[in-house]
Amino acid sequence: MTDKLIIFDTTLRDGEQSPGASMTKDEKIRIAKALEKLRVDVIEAGFPIASLGDFEAVQAVANTIKDSTVCGLARALEKDIDRAGDALKGAASARIHTFIATSPIHMQEKLCMSPDQVLEQAVKAVKHARQYTDNVEFSPEDAGRSEIDFLCRIIEATIDAGAGTINIPDTVGYTLPEYFGHLIAELRERIPNSDKAIFSVHCHNDLGLAVANSLSAVINGARQVECTINGLGERAGNAALEEVVMAVRTRHDIFPCHTDLETTQIVTCSRLVSNITGFPVQPNKAIVGTNAFAHEAGIHQDGVLKHRQTYEIMKAEDVGWHANRMVLGKHSGRNAFRNHLQGLGIEFNSEEELNVAFTRFKELADKKHEIFNEDLQALVTDALTIVHEQIKLVALRVCSEMGETPHASVTLNINGIENSVSAKGSGPVDATFKAIETLVNSNMNLLVYSVNNVTNGTDAQGEVGVRLEKEGQIVNGQGADTDIVIASAKAYLNALNKILNPVERKHPQVVQPV
């Protein structure tokens, strides 16, 4: 028998803090359902005090998810904790995660508090959180740069106050694996009541070591890892859930623990998060990249054909990779379409959403001979974005030929009124964007333009991601189509619609003394 390693997913909270990755309430619910199907133990749904939108999203996830614990983040302030408690009232299993910084630089420069004041506030916060739930987690923020003696004091005190989970965050990605593992071991050894709490880790990837640091901590006794799908997160991101889980599973000779995750859902979750946030997965990304199980070198191909384990340490099928051909076609009915998507963990909130997605499916079936589950993920995400759009693409005509300046004619429906315009550009996409800007006049700056194929083949859908910026506000947009120029127009409009319907979200970081 081995210990259970608790998987704490913070894609909906820390992952959402990536610039441009803000999610709507419905998008958070879609991801939360996928995480539940993945059998994630704890889902950190958001930061309820941050905004009304975040509160409502956490509340909606708490009311929807039944098989995973739903967690809300709160600073070590009573108002934060009360807000989190209110948001989590409907949860089948709830956790409040409260935190305060403990490193000298944070206490002196950010909090303007003494260590004794920080300790007192942490204890008060944990006790207050216990009024709402017995499942309380405490994090000494920036523990990776905190003094070990003070960490021992504050952790011992918060465990006595009722914290059942103690999370050790490497908030700025500063530590190294050997040091971080030693830190976990030393804390567990020195703190008298350490056996009364589960030790957790939350590592950032600023030096590319988030997964390595997390695994070093697990070897040294940590039994919860906080991570995100695709390693999404602030700055360089967090430890990637898929890498942590598969490392523990693959190297069971090293790790004295196991997870309860349904790993065949990993790729589905990865694609869903990528589609919703507009953050593409790099092809050589471990586990979920399109090249993760691909072999091109002749020696490798020969070895795999003779015995898979010569060059593969995992089965692609174990994480959800498979050539799953869609048996539905253009003659398939709405119920068959709905049932197939439910099998992928995709559900619709209204008949209108189903009808829009079904119409898009029929259009795709006329264009593309083979439809794969990856096509459906992209199609549904693309379809759901247009239900509440203020700006809709009605028509697009592009002319591009050698020796001539490309031009595009675009017709948009803006709040029920159609307008058309033509524009020239250095290429068909540039001309299309300039035509859209002529009608919308958003004055946004295009920071990122990326194109990825959803599946293989010349008839594959192209998935376009754009990142727009204006006066410090950053949004991502995404669109998919077998025509890459149309996909580009969809992505640009998707981003513009997010500007018109912004997700209200603030992440307060400065805690004032109380």
Side-chain angles (χ1 to χ4, degrees):
M1 297 293 291
T2 59
D3 294 340
K4 176 179 175 177
L5 178 64
I6 297 169
I7 299 300
F8 178 113
D9 182 273
T10 184
T11 303
L12 301 181
R13 200 276 301 171
D14 201 330
E16 193 195 21
Q17 288 181 210
S18 299
S22 292
M23 307 168 199
T24 66
K25 180 176 69 176
D26 289 342
E27 288 170 342
K28 280 198 170 188
I29 292 173
R30 284 182 65 197
I31 292 175
K33 286 180 177 179
L35 292 172
E36 183 180 37
K37 194 169 183 180
L38 182 61
R39 295 177 64 183
V40 162
D41 299 292
V42 184
I43 300 172
E44 190 168 50
F47 200 161
I49 194 68
S51 69
L52 177 61
D54 231 27
F55 174 86
E56 292 176 344
V58 174
Q59 187 178 57
V61 171
N63 293 339
T64 302
I65 299 303
K66 303 304 178 188
D67 297 330
S68 300
T69 295
V70 179
C71 178
L73 184 68
R75 296 170 298 178
L77 293 173
E78 288 190 0
K79 63 178 182 179
D80 281 39
I81 293 165
D82 291 339
R83 194 66 167 158
D86 289 343
L88 295 167
K89 281 180 180 177
S93 175
R95 175 184 293 187
I96 292 178
H97 178 192
T98 187
F99 71 97
I100 191 168
T102 55
S103 65
I105 188 172
H106 275 241
M107 289 189 291
Q108 294 167 15
E109 305 297 333
K110 185 180 79 170
L111 300 181
C112 301
M113 296 171 68
S114 69
D116 286 343
Q117 288 175 315
V118 168
L119 189 150
E120 180 184 359
Q121 189 162 320
V123 169
K124 185 188 299 185
V126 171
K127 289 181 177 178
H128 192 67
R130 285 292 297 265
Q131 298 178 29
Y132 293 97
T133 176
D134 292 335
N135 193 342
V136 176
E137 176 175 335
F138 172 71
S139 288
E141 186 187 8
D142 201 21
R145 294 190 295 177
S146 298
E147 295 175 347
I148 184 72
D149 290 343
F150 182 59
L151 276 180
C152 289
R153 284 180 59 206
I154 197 168
I155 291 171
E156 181 181 0
T158 50
I159 292 175
D160 279 342
T165 301
I166 297 296
N167 179 53
I168 308 301
D170 182 22
T171 305
V172 293
Y174 180 72
T175 60
L176 302 176
E178 184 177 1
Y179 168 83
F180 196 60
H182 177 72
L183 173 64
I184 299 302
E186 187 173 357
L187 290 173
R188 294 179 64 236
E189 181 180 346
R190 286 181 54 178
I191 297 171
N193 56 1
S194 64
D195 61 320
K196 293 181 171 58
I198 293 170
F199 275 71
S200 168
V201 289
H202 179 119
C203 297
H204 277 265
N205 205 39
D206 298 73
L207 294 176
L209 296 170
V211 170
N213 283 331
S214 299
L215 295 175
S216 178
V218 171
I219 290 174
N220 284 277
R223 288 298 176 263
Q224 175 178 287
V225 174
E226 303 195 358
C227 43
T228 61
I229 299 294
N230 299 337
L232 190 68
E234 201 159 15
R235 303 186 313 278
N238 291 267
L241 177 148
E242 59 276 5
E243 296 176 22
V244 171
V245 169
M246 293 311 295
V248 170
R249 175 171 170 162
T250 304
R251 295 307 308 270
H252 55 80
D253 57 323
I254 298 294
F255 295 98
C257 55
H258 68 276
T259 74
D260 289 340
L261 264 66
E262 179 52 63
T263 60
T264 57
Q265 295 297 314
I266 285 177
V267 170
T268 296
C269 279
S270 170
R271 290 291 173 265
L272 178 62
V273 170
S274 178
N275 287 339
I276 286 177
T277 62
F279 283 49
V281 177
Q282 65 192 60
N284 62 323
K285 168 74 171 63
I287 315 297
V288 293
T290 53
N291 289 348
F293 293 90
H295 304 276
E296 184 165 337
I299 294 174
H300 287 217
Q301 291 174 342
D302 180 62
V304 169
L305 289 172
K306 290 175 177 174
H307 195 289
R308 180 187 60 81
Q309 290 179 309
T310 54
Y311 287 101
E312 287 188 1
I313 60 173
M314 298 168 283
K315 289 183 179 179
E317 296 84 356
D318 288 346
V319 298
W321 284 111
H322 47 80
N324 191 352
R325 183 177 299 175
M326 248 281 282
V327 295
L328 300 180
K330 61 183 179 180
H331 301 297
S332 299
R334 188 175 277 97
N335 284 337
F337 177 72
R338 188 207 306 261
N339 289 337
H340 190 93
L341 290 179
Q342 285 176 343
L344 296 176
I346 299 172
E347 296 182 7
F348 299 97
N349 295 316
S350 66
E351 285 297 311
E352 181 185 10
E353 290 183 350
L354 171 63
N355 291 338
V356 170
F358 185 66
T359 299
R360 287 293 181 92
F361 163 69
K362 289 286 192 177
E363 293 172 353
L364 182 61
D366 281 332
K367 298 176 183 176
K368 197 172 186 291
H369 178 63
E370 293 182 317
I371 298 178
F372 300 89
N373 287 340
E374 291 83 358
D375 289 311
L376 288 180
Q377 290 277 16
L379 179 148
V380 170
T381 298
D382 185 51
L384 293 184
T385 61
I386 72 169
V387 174
H388 306 293
E389 284 183 341
Q390 293 187 35
I391 309 174
K392 298 183 178 181
L393 180 65
V394 177
L396 171 61
R397 183 176 180 272
V398 175
C399 182
S400 180
E401 58 181 300
M402 289 182 65
E404 300 292 335
T405 302
H407 64 272
S409 299
V410 175
T411 301
L412 301 180
N413 183 312
I414 305 175
N415 293 320
I417 301 174
E418 288 191 8
N419 287 288
S420 300
V421 72
S422 296
K424 294 182 179 181
S426 59
V429 172
D430 184 49
T432 299
F433 286 179
K434 286 179 176 175
I436 292 173
E437 272 298 316
T438 301
L439 291 173
V440 178
N441 195 30
S442 73
N443 295 316
M444 299 291 292
N445 298 313
L446 179 64
L447 301 180
V448 175
Y449 173 81
S450 64
V451 181
N452 295 282
N453 57 315
V454 176
T455 56
N456 295 324
T458 55
D459 64 346
Q461 285 192 98
E463 198 170 49
V464 174
V466 300
R467 182 174 297 172
L468 305 182
E469 181 273 337
K470 182 179 181 182
E471 298 177 353
Q473 184 178 12
I474 297 175
V475 292
N476 283 324
Q478 193 163 23
D481 199 276
T482 52
D483 186 316
I484 204 65
V485 180
I486 294 175
S488 301
K490 288 179 179 179
Y492 199 88
L493 293 175
N494 179 229
L496 291 178
N497 277 293
K498 288 180 180 178
I499 292 289
L500 296 174
N501 296 287
V503 176
E504 183 193 1
R505 181 177 63 85
K506 302 172 185 176
H507 284 277
Q509 297 296 322
V510 179
V511 184
Q512 300 299 329
V514 293

